[in-house]
Amino acid sequence: MFEVDVTTRSPGESFGSRHRWTTSVEEQLSLNVVFQDTVAPPTDVLWSDTSPIPNVNTLPGWSWQAVEWSWWLILQMFTAMLGIVGNLLVIIVLFIRRELSRSTDTLVGALAAADLLASVFMIPLPQALTVPSSFLGQVYCKVVHSSMFLWVSFEASTYTLTAIAVERYIAVAYPFHFKNLVTRKRVVIVIVANWILGFMITSYVFKVAKLDKSTNHCAPVILSKDVQMLIGTNLFLMNFLVPALISLTMQAMTAHVLFRQSLVFRKVGNQEGRSNPAARHLAARKRVLQMLFIVILVFIVCLGPSQCFYFVFNLGLLPDSYLFSPLQKALVVLSFGNSCANPIIYTIRYPEFRSAIGELFSLKKGKARAALFSEKTEGTSARSVDSIHA
């Protein structure tokens, strides 16, 4: 029998990675604890009661562990800073053009805001080793120690990306009805609903995170294997599989409609012997669609591996040694990359965004004449598009 105190945890790591118990090695490995794998791993430093704990500052009822910079925390910090700068630039550019913005611009701004908050919550900070047995201590364990706001930001980002894919399909497939279907009020409602959904998905934290008053540690609630499998399956579906499938389906349907439209516009242009304005309008839509497809693909590549491995782990098909292993840490760092990737994609793939950034830092400030990511859906182009469905 021995007592282990896992005392170090980085912001955004799996909740349940730090707790104190007295048990045998066999009993320790058989504990069924729910972990959330979309967040960063702990630094995995173990101390016994008689071992000195370095770099600890104490306050009444609190003791703190300083950040120990491992390779994954350095990458986490770099990703956080890149995400903060990139998404802040996106928000500033869209704010400057707010009077011209349409639904896509608003949703892209909401996506950047969610990724910005996620990047802020990624920053590694000192973590409490012990907390007072008070309401404040309970709040710290359930909200701060569990990185709940980081998880909610991830959820809001994921479902806002899904909303953009749906909005683009409506704009392309139903241009005449788009203004009535996708109003500014409804877009705001969708954005707020995404955050509410994020809180609902993450609400299980209040049940599995607790303050152990006997040791003054933040500790997980030990759950049965069946409950662990149920929560793990729900997280895999809601965090990754469902939004990924919806986004890919909307992309495929949008691409199909654009292909049909391109055939009609090409035929019209050949008959008239001149360039069709509707065809140019369609080309602009294709650029946005291609950029959105890359954003969705990066989302799947970044989050897919960690989500799939964590799901398999919850099914009991991976050993306990997977948690906090180099592989798990590498996959978690990869998942963080999604929060800083979108501004890079906009810069590389979307000339209008590069121009907007150039104007932002230019000495000659020109007045923006168009929305950034949206295009008009009414008028001649809309009538040409609608004729396909007639």
Side-chain angles (χ1 to χ4, degrees), residues 2-10 13-14 16-21 28 41-49 51-56 64-73 127-129 145 217 323-325 328-329:
F2 63 95
E3 185 169 281
V4 178
D5 184 12
V6 186
T7 53
T8 307
R9 177 182 178 278
S10 63
E13 78 176 49
S14 312
S17 61
R18 188 186 68 179
H19 53 284
R20 187 179 191 141
W21 67 90
Q28 174 188 345
T43 51
D44 298 336
V45 180
L46 305 183
W47 286 288
S48 66
D49 279 350
S51 301
I53 301 177
N55 302 323
V56 174
W64 301 85
Q65 171 64 42
V67 177
E68 296 184 358
W69 294 99
S70 55
W71 63 267
W72 64 86
L73 283 185
Q127 295 293 313
L129 300 178
H145 176 77
H217 282 65
L323 289 178
F324 317 135
S325 66
Q328 189 244 7
K329 293 168 183 174

Side-chain angles (χ1 to χ4, degrees), residues 322-334:
Y322 166 72
L323 289 178
F324 317 135
S325 66
L327 174 60
Q328 189 244 7
K329 293 168 183 174
L331 293 180
V332 169
V333 170
L334 176 64

Side-chain angles (χ1 to χ4, degrees), residues 225-291:
K225 189 63 177 179
D226 290 339
V227 174
Q228 179 181 345
M229 292 177 60
L230 178 62
I231 294 179
T233 301
N234 178 68
L235 291 176
F236 176 70
L237 292 174
M238 300 303 294
N239 289 348
F240 177 69
L241 188 60
V242 170
L245 288 178
I246 293 175
S247 298
L248 289 176
T249 301
M250 290 296 102
Q251 280 288 102
M253 293 171 65
T254 306
H256 176 68
V257 174
L258 284 175
F259 175 73
R260 292 174 55 198
Q261 293 176 2
S262 65
L263 294 179
V264 173
F265 291 153
R266 190 180 300 118
K267 181 178 179 180
V268 172
N270 292 336
Q271 290 176 347
E272 295 179 354
R274 59 183 176 82
S275 176
N276 190 345
R280 294 194 298 269
H281 180 77
L282 180 64
R285 284 184 169 181
K286 284 184 176 180
R287 286 199 304 270
V288 176
L289 181 67
Q290 291 169 356
M291 182 189 67

Side-chain angles (χ1 to χ4, degrees), residues 92-363:
I92 292 174
V93 168
L94 291 174
F95 179 78
I96 292 175
R97 298 176 179 234
R98 63 190 182 279
E99 294 182 357
L100 302 170
S101 66
R102 294 187 176 89
S103 55
T104 306
D105 288 2
T106 304
L107 289 170
V108 170
L111 177 63
D115 287 338
L116 173 63
L117 289 176
S119 299
V120 170
F121 293 130
M122 283 182 206
I123 298 175
L125 297 174
Q127 295 293 313
L129 300 178
T130 59
V131 297
S133 298
S134 63
F135 175 76
L136 183 60
Q138 291 279 5
V139 171
Y140 177 86
C141 289
K142 291 181 178 292
V143 177
V144 180
H145 176 77
S146 65
S147 300
M148 181 177 182
F149 289 127
L150 176 61
W151 299 7
V152 173
S153 299
F154 282 155
E155 302 292 351
S157 173
T158 298
Y159 282 95
T160 301
L161 178 60
T162 306
I164 295 175
V166 174
E167 183 265 357
R168 284 293 81 201
Y169 172 72
I170 297 174
V172 171
Y174 305 101
F176 263 140
H177 306 288
F178 179 77
K179 289 185 66 176
N180 294 327
L181 292 174
V182 186
T183 63
R184 183 178 296 272
K185 181 179 179 180
R186 289 177 178 174
V187 169
V188 173
I189 291 174
V190 168
I191 293 172
V192 174
N194 288 336
W195 283 93
I196 294 175
L197 180 60
F199 276 105
M200 292 175 61
I201 296 174
T202 313
S203 61
Y204 79 96
V205 169
F206 289 105
K207 293 294 184 181
V208 302
K210 70 173 184 177
L211 168 61
D212 187 345
K213 295 184 179 180
S214 63
T215 60
N216 282 33
H217 282 65
C218 294
V221 175
I222 308 302
L223 302 175
S224 68
K225 189 63 177 179
D226 290 339
V227 174
Q228 179 181 345
M229 292 177 60
L230 178 62
I231 294 179
T233 301
N234 178 68
L235 291 176
F236 176 70
L237 292 174
M238 300 303 294
N239 289 348
F240 177 69
L241 188 60
V242 170
L245 288 178
I246 293 175
S247 298
L248 289 176
T249 301
M250 290 296 102
Q251 280 288 102
M253 293 171 65
T254 306
H256 176 68
V257 174
L258 284 175
F259 175 73
R260 292 174 55 198
Q261 293 176 2
S262 65
L263 294 179
V264 173
F265 291 153
R266 190 180 300 118
K267 181 178 179 180
V268 172
N270 292 336
Q271 290 176 347
E272 295 179 354
R274 59 183 176 82
S275 176
N276 190 345
R280 294 194 298 269
H281 180 77
L282 180 64
R285 284 184 169 181
K286 284 184 176 180
R287 286 199 304 270
V288 176
L289 181 67
Q290 291 169 356
M291 182 189 67
L292 178 58
F293 175 74
I294 295 175
V295 170
I296 295 173
L297 184 62
V298 169
F299 163 77
I300 294 173
V301 170
C302 287
L303 269 71
S306 64
Q307 288 289 330
C308 290
F309 270 80
Y310 175 59
F311 176 60
V312 174
F313 170 80
N314 275 317
L315 294 180
L317 302 179
L318 284 179
D320 293 340
S321 59
Y322 166 72
L323 289 178
F324 317 135
S325 66
L327 174 60
Q328 189 244 7
K329 293 168 183 174
L331 293 180
V332 169
V333 170
L334 176 64
S335 69
F336 277 132
N338 185 65
S339 295
C340 68
N342 292 344
I344 299 175
I345 297 172
Y346 303 155
T347 302
I348 296 175
R349 295 290 304 179
Y350 202 60
E352 288 83 352
F353 182 74
R354 292 198 299 270
S355 299
I357 293 295
E359 293 173 2
L360 184 63
F361 292 98
S362 176
L363 295 178

